[in-house]
Structure formats: C-alpha cells, structure tokens
C-alpha cells in the first residue's frame, strides 16, 4: 500500500508555494492553492502513517512518543505524539502527515459568537462575512456529525446519569467521524466507524475524517508534492522578495541531519501553534523584522484531560481497536457525549465537558497508572481482560475545554522553543474545571484523578492538547503578528503601519489571539479556508471547493491518487 508522500530526494529547489506543516491549516492551504494551479510543496517534519498502521499494542504506542523537556529529549523525531514538558505547562501535539488530526478526538464545534466579537480580533473577522463561508467550507470537507447511536453507548449513559444528578443533560457533539461510511469530498471511500474508541491512537478503520484523508489527498490529486521528514528551521527573504525556506532533513536514519534551502514567492506556515511560532522566532533571530508581539498571547484553551476512578456504574471507555481486541462491545468514538455549561453573562465561565476514550494500545499501562504499586499487584498479568472487565471498565476519562487569560509566552532558549507562563496553574479555569469534574465523578461514585502522573516527571503543572496563539492576529503590528488574512506584519515599516511581508502567511492554531472555549480544529480549518479566500482575491486566483468525482480510493491506499 502506498501513501501520498514522496522521498525528499525528489524535492525541487523552487515552487510557487511552500506549505510548512500538514495539519488543518497546512492541509487547507495545500489543497486550495494546488486547486488554483499553483506548484505546491508541503514540508512535514513527521512521517506518513497509513490507515491500518497506527499503534494498536503498547510497545508500538511507546515508540510513538517523543518527549522534550529542559535539556532532555527522548524518542524518534517522527513519533506521532510530541510531548513538550514545560516548567509551567506541558503541551501535547501531533506529528505526522495530517498533524493533530491523526491522533485527535475529532470534536468539531463552532465557538460562541461572543468569541469573535472580542476586540482582540481584527474587526474584519466578525464583519466581512468570510468567516462564516470559511466555517461552511470546513464543514463541507470535514463533515462533522453526531453519532446517531450515542445515547445507546455505555459511556454516554454514564455521563448522562452523573450529569442528571447535577442538572445537566448531555448532548452528542459533532465529531469528524463518518458513521455511515461513503466517499468523502476528496474522493476517499471511508468505511463506517466501528465505534472501536481508538480515535486518539489513530483510526485504523479509515472512518475518522482526518486531514490526510481529505485536504492532503485533495492537494496531491491536484498536483501538490508532499514531503515528510522535512523540518523547517527558519525562513528568510531575498532582496527580490523570494522566500528561502531552510529545511533540516530528518530522513537520514541516524546519520547527521542534512540541511536544504528551498525557494518560493509564497510561504504558508501551517506548522501548528508551536511549530509556526518557533519558525518565526528563529526567523526573527536571523534578521526578519517581525512584531514584538511574536510569542505572546499563548492560550491553553482552558483544556484538560482528567479521570474518574472507581465509579459505581459501568463506563466502557477503553478503546478495543481494530481489529477488535474483544468481541461484542461497542465503545463509541473517542467523544460521544458532552455536557455544556453555558453562561449568557460571562463567556469566560462557560465549560464543555466531554466523556473520552483512551486508545486500546494504552490499556496495558492503566494498572500502573491508576493502582498504587500496580506492578507489584501483578495487575499486568491479565491485562486485556482485566482492563475491559475489571475496575477499568468503570474508568471515566474527561476532556474539558473552557477559557483562560492567554497569558503564556513563547521564547527561544538556546535556539529551541520554550513556554513561559509562571502562574499558569493558578488560572481560575482550573479551579472551575476541578469543581465541575469532581461533582460529576462523585455523582458516579468515583474519585477524581486530576493527573495520574502528577508528582512524576510531569510535576503538578497543567497540560494541554489545545495550544493556541504565539503569532496572534491583530489590526497592526503593535497588537498582532499577522493580520486578519494571516499575512505576517513587517516590523521594519513605520510604527502604526499595517504593512506585511508580501507572500508570508500563517494559517494554523498560532493565529488565535485568545482561547476559543471549544475544541479548536473547526476554527483553525475555517480561518484557514477564509485566509485562502482572501489570498485568491489578492492574487487573482481561482479555485472552488467542489467534491472530487471519479474513482474513489481506499484510505489505506492513498498513493493510488498520485499513481493515477
Ligand atoms: C490527543 C489529542 C486530542 C485532540 N482532540 C481534539 C478534538 O477532539 N477536537 C479539536 O478541535 N481539537 C483536538 N485536538 C487539538 C487539535 O488536533 C489541534 O488543535 C489541531 O490539530 C491544530 O491544527 P494546526 O493546523 O494548528 O496544527 P497541527 O495539526 O498541529 O499540524 C501542524 C503540523 O506541522 C508539523 N510541523 C511542526 N513543526 C514543523 C516544522 N518545523 N517543519 C515542518 N513541519 C512541522 C507537525 O508535525 C504537524 O504535523 C486534540 C489534540 C490532541 C493531541
Ligand atoms: S471509533 Fe474507531 S473506527 Fe470510529 S473513528 Fe474512532 S478509531 Fe475510527
């Protein structure tokens, strides 16, 4: 089975557009600009993982972990889970062709309208009508939908019964999962979801509507060249306005990494909040004039993952994988139910609590994580059965999202990205989330476990999988790093100027100037679609977002697209 990516040996020196990173933002840019007839290269630092090859056993999962902390680093640079241990906060992001979409839960929600009415955004975002069009396009391509069987799932019922006592009725949030199966907008024939619960380990069925199965497949179909193991270090502008993209090759199998320089008149950064901010910070260190706001307004989106252990009701929220590790159980997608705590007066108080599923490959580690001296108790002996039938059948996992003050800051420390947010753990959102989750867990008869790894190398810092900001939007360079179209402000222009570096864009989570209060993928995708619509106007490009016709390809055989 073949994939979408090519060997870096085939990369050319020059393209019309170089897209850096291949998550939601990068995927949208690659698809739309390839549709516009541009010669596009996508540079992704991670590797391509085809449907069927995501980790399903614990040893495989362990190999998919790369951890970077203060003066330490373990794991392969192409491992899927990229954990950054920070002194103030930890961050988890995805690494691979498709970015975070490969390992996320796929919850796709529009934020409350008050989020975009905040004066922190440039006015055009709420006013020019293209945000709504961007969201519509994102929805047409990612097809968010609620599980029609959600209310029948044990984990949904567990949330329902715990929530009821507290006066909350869950709803089934929309997720980027194909529950019916069928050919998607990019011409990929996605099978129906088996409700195996392994979304956050990577979907081995092909039912999760990832960026790889949509925007990247579409980009490749329209001639974009996709390269993996290509980590961009920084960008620099030539006198004639050409961008030089400095790339580190990570495909050397242990040999010393080699560097390449590629050129293009347009560079679109879609390397994610951490990746794009780091590239810009390094580019500034190499002389590019960028806003003083660069690195600022980092938000964790009030996001946490937490657990309830010892509930008196069944939960069934450990994935069974595909092929299933046990028969006759339907777990559901990683998120099937959500409790919404609204506040019409104070947006900051709003919370979304989602019941989550841990991927099956993590099952063997659960006894060690949750039972003191689990190893000695021999809990590892009957791992699989124990996990599905024993106390772990009652383990509740929660993903919760809200708002924070976006007061984090990225800096370069010895040429590497560092997150600084001294009072992060005192953000009021964490107390609110603890209180709500404690009541839900207590109502289910269990105990709240905020972080089973607290006190280990993880310390007691909060952790997020929704990093946002660092290259936030603003009206001008004094209050933002990019404008409402994602164009990067040129700080060499006079103060107050809205001049931009022609041809340099950011289109990912880094451009958010604040928390969103809902899971961010749909907003990132919608804003990237919006940025492409503006780019089409500015450069006189023509493209549509019509679904692809013709022969459909299988999720595990995307390479057929290139071969055709
Ligand atoms: C376990 C988990 C569960 C989640 N669940 C949800 C959910 O249910 N709903 C939701 O909305 N969000 C969820 N998220 C968050 C969501 O996936 C991210 O917000 C989203 O993927 C960010 O999109 P992006 O385009 O900004 O960047 P990413 O998707 O992070 O993509 C950036 C890409 O750029 C690559 N890259 C980075 N640096 C470089 C470089 N220097 N050179 C080349 N390439 C580079 C990365 O490897 C990555 O592939 C979850 C995240 C995780 C980790
Ligand atoms: S539940 Fe299983 S089949 Fe369905 S989207 Fe998630 S990983 Fe894929």
């Amino acid at each position: 089975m073949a994939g979408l990516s090519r060997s870096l040996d085939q990369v050319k020196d020059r393209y019309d557009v170089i897209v850096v990173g291949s998550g939601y933002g990068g995927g949208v840019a690659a698809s739309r600009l390839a549709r516009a007839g541009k010669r596009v290269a996508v540079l992704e630092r991670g590797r391509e993982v085809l449907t069927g090859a995501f980790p399903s056993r614990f040893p495989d999962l362990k190999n998919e972990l790369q951890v970077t902390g203060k003066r330490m680093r373990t794991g392969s640079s192409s491992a899927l889970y990229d954990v950054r241990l920070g002194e103030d906060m930890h961050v988890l992001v995805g690494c691979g062709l498709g970015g975070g979409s490969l390992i996320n839960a796929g919850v796709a929600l529009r934020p409350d309208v008050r989020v975009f009415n905040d004066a922190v955004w440039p006015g055009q975002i709420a006013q020019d009508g293209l945000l709504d069009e961007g969201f519509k396009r994102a929805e047409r391509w990612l097809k968010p939908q609620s599980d029609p069987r959600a209310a029948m799932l044990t984990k949904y019922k567990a949330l329902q019964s715990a929530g009821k006592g507290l006066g909350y009725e869950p709803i089934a949030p929309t997720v980027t999962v194909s529950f019916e199966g069928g050919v998607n907008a990019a011409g990929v024939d996605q099978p129906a979801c088996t409700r195996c619960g392994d979304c956050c380990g990577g979907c081995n069925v092909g039912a999760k509507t990832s960026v790889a199965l949509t925007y990247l497949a579409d980009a490749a179909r329209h001639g974009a060249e996709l390269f993996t193991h290509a980590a961009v270090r920084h960008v620099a502008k030539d006198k004639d306005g050409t961008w030089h993209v400095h790339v580190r090759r990570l495909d050397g199998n242990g040999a010393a990494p080699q560097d390449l320089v590629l050129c293009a008149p347009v560079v679109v950064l879609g390397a994610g909040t951490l990746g794009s901010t780091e590239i810009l910070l390094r580019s500034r260190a190499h002389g590019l004039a960028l806003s003083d706001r660069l690195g600022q307004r980092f938000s964790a989106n009030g996001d946490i993952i937490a657990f309830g252990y010892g509930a008196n009701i069944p939960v069934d929220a450990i994935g069974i994988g595909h092929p299933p590790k046990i028969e006759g159980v339907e777990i559901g997608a990683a998120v099937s139910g959500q409790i919404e705590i609204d506040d019409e007066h104070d947006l900051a108080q709003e919370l979304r609590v989602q019941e989550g599923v841990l991927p099956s490959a993590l099952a063997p580690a659960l006894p060690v994580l949750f039972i003191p001296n689990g190893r000695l108790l021999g809990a590892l002996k009957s791992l699989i059965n124990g996990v599905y039938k024993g106390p772990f059948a009652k383990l509740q996992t929660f993903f919760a999202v809200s708002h924070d003050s976006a007061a984090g800051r990225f800096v370069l420390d010895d040429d590497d990205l560092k997150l600084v947010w001294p009072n992060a753990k005192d953000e009021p959102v964490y107390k609110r989330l603890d209180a709500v989750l404690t009541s839900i867990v207590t109502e289910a008869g269990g105990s709240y476990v905020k972080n089973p790894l607290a006190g280990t190398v993880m310390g007691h810092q909060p952790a997020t999988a929704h990093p946002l900001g660092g290259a936030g939007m603003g009206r001008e360079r004094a209050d933002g790093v990019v404008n409402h179209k994602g164009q990067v402000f040129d700080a060499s222009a006079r103060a107050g100027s809205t001049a931009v570096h022609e041809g340099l864009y950011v289109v990912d989570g880094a451009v958010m100037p604040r928390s969103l209060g809902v899971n961010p993928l749909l907003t990132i995708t919608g804003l990237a679609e919006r940025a492409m619509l503006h780019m089409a106007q500015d450069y006189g490009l023509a493209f549509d977002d019509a679904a692809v016709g013709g022969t459909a390809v299988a999720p595990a055989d995307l390479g057929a697209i290139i071969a055709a």
Side-chain angles (χ1 to χ4, degrees):
M1 293 293 176
L4 296 169
S5 57
R6 310 162 184 240
S7 161
L8 264 174
D9 292 336
Q10 296 171 25
V11 79
K12 302 180 184 81
D13 294 340
R14 186 172 282 272
Y15 289 88
D16 295 334
V17 180
I18 294 176
V19 175
V20 181
S22 62
Y24 293 95
V28 168
S31 154
R32 295 343 184 190
L33 296 173
R35 278 180 174 236
K38 295 289 168 193
R39 291 181 315 130
V40 175
V42 177
L43 304 176
E44 163 59 48
R45 68 181 170 140
R47 70 188 205 284
E48 182 168 12
V49 182
L50 287 175
T51 297
F54 288 100
S56 63
R57 298 175 326 120
F58 186 59
D60 302 330
L61 187 78
K62 256 182 21 192
N63 291 335
E64 293 297 352
L65 205 58
Q66 47 175 310
V67 184
T68 312
K70 199 175 176 190
R71 286 176 237 308
M72 62 81 73
R73 187 175 155 85
T74 60
S76 155
S77 60
S78 67
L80 276 170
Y81 300 86
D82 178 358
V83 180
R84 311 290 176 96
L85 297 177
E87 285 165 43
D88 304 318
M89 178 176 284
H90 311 310
V91 183
L92 168 64
V93 292
C95 171
L97 198 71
S101 76
L102 301 173
I103 54 160
N104 70 14
V107 177
L109 302 168
R110 289 197 192 200
D112 189 290
V113 67
R114 287 172 289 175
V115 167
F116 296 110
N117 289 336
D118 185 340
V120 73
W121 297 90
Q124 294 94 331
I125 290 289
Q127 288 153 18
D128 74 4
L130 287 183
L131 178 62
D132 192 50
E133 177 58 23
F135 271 122
K136 282 184 180 145
R137 287 180 177 226
E139 285 159 354
R140 277 202 289 274
W141 274 65
L142 296 175
K143 287 255 157 47
Q145 48 199 277
S146 303
D147 184 352
R149 292 175 53 78
M152 267 109 74
L153 302 168
T154 313
K155 66 193 181 96
Y156 187 96
K157 289 181 190 157
L159 184 68
Q160 193 169 36
S161 87
K164 221 173 229 160
L166 302 163
Y168 308 124
E169 182 61 34
I171 55 115
T174 45
V175 290
T176 52
V177 170
S178 173
F179 290 105
E180 301 292 329
V183 180
N184 71 20
V188 177
D189 194 359
Q190 293 184 247
C193 172
T194 62
R195 298 183 174 84
C196 75
D198 261 11
C199 315
C200 293
C203 178
N204 277 323
V205 173
K208 187 165 77 170
T209 310
S210 67
V211 177
L213 299 192
T214 52
Y215 288 107
L216 294 178
D218 188 63
R221 200 183 281 278
H222 288 88
E225 296 175 11
L226 279 51
F227 301 96
T228 53
H229 301 98
V232 170
R233 303 290 296 168
H234 74 278
V235 297
K237 190 162 52 168
D238 209 347
K239 284 194 194 77
D240 69 358
T242 302
W243 290 98
H244 292 219
V245 178
H246 293 253
V247 187
R248 180 148 299 170
R249 282 186 79 148
L250 301 176
D251 57 352
N253 289 331
Q258 292 176 320
D259 289 342
L260 299 169
V261 183
L262 310 179
C263 298
V266 175
V267 171
V268 182
L269 298 181
T273 292
L274 276 58
S276 291
T277 307
E278 183 173 25
I279 291 167
L280 288 176
L281 283 166
R282 237 186 244 122
S283 303
R284 186 168 68 184
H286 281 84
L288 190 65
L290 298 172
S291 160
D292 291 341
R293 307 293 290 188
L294 180 60
Q296 297 184 14
R297 293 204 64 76
F298 169 82
S299 163
N301 206 26
D303 162 58
I304 62 162
I305 175 167
F307 303 90
Y309 184 72
N312 55 22
I313 44 174
V315 181
D316 289 349
I318 314 289
I320 56 171
H322 178 78
K325 294 186 170 82
I326 57 165
E327 296 294 339
V329 189
E330 193 172 59
I331 303 298
V335 170
S336 314
Q338 165 172 281
I339 283 177
E340 302 182 330
I341 302 180
D342 293 328
D343 189 319
E344 61 181 270
H345 304 293
D346 186 359
L347 177 65
Q349 302 294 322
E350 293 212 338
L351 299 176
R352 299 288 177 262
V353 175
Q354 294 147 4
E355 49 70 27
V357 182
L358 294 175
S360 62
L362 199 59
L366 293 176
V368 181
L369 287 176
F370 285 94
I371 305 177
N373 300 320
R375 236 180 259 275
L376 298 175
L377 288 169
L380 288 175
K381 270 190 206 149
S382 59
L383 293 170
I384 299 303
N385 274 346
V387 163
Y388 293 113
K389 294 196 181 133
F392 293 106
K394 294 176 177 177
L395 180 71
Q396 293 174 288
T397 297
F398 298 103
F399 305 134
V401 194
S402 184
H403 293 280
D404 59 28
S405 67
R409 191 164 53 90
F410 288 118
V411 293
L412 274 191
D413 179 21
D414 205 12
D415 208 31
D416 287 323
L417 193 73
K418 180 180 170 186
L419 175 59
V420 185
W421 194 347
N423 304 319
K425 66 175 177 2
D426 302 324
E427 286 278 315
V429 62
Y430 297 118
K431 269 208 178 90
R432 286 204 308 277
L433 287 172
D434 285 349
V436 169
L437 288 170
T438 303
S439 359
I440 292 175
V441 170
T442 310
E443 189 70 22
S447 339
Y448 180 50
V449 183
K450 191 171 176 176
N451 175 3
L453 292 173
T456 65
V457 64
M458 295 283 286
H460 293 275
Q461 299 92 312
T464 182
H466 293 179
L468 299 173
M473 285 188 181
R475 283 163 291 274
E476 47 139 323
R477 70 174 221 232
D479 60 13
V481 179
V482 300
N483 68 12
H484 70 104
K485 304 176 189 178
Q487 294 173 298
V488 179
F489 287 123
D490 180 353
S492 67
R494 62 172 172 74
S497 158
T498 55
V500 294
H501 287 290
E502 194 63 41
L504 184 61
Y505 288 77
V506 186
V507 294
D508 52 32
V511 305
M512 308 298 156
R514 54 159 295 145
S515 58
L516 300 172
V518 291
N519 317 53
L521 79 82
L522 196 66
T523 308
I524 294 169
T525 312
L527 278 174
E529 290 272 19
R530 180 186 180 279
M532 291 304 112
L533 291 170
H534 274 289
M535 204 168 173
Q537 280 173 13
D538 293 348
Y539 285 77
L541 306 176
F543 59 80
D544 63 25
D545 79 326
V548 167
T551 314
V553 300
D557 195 18
L558 297 179
I561 290 174
I562 307 182

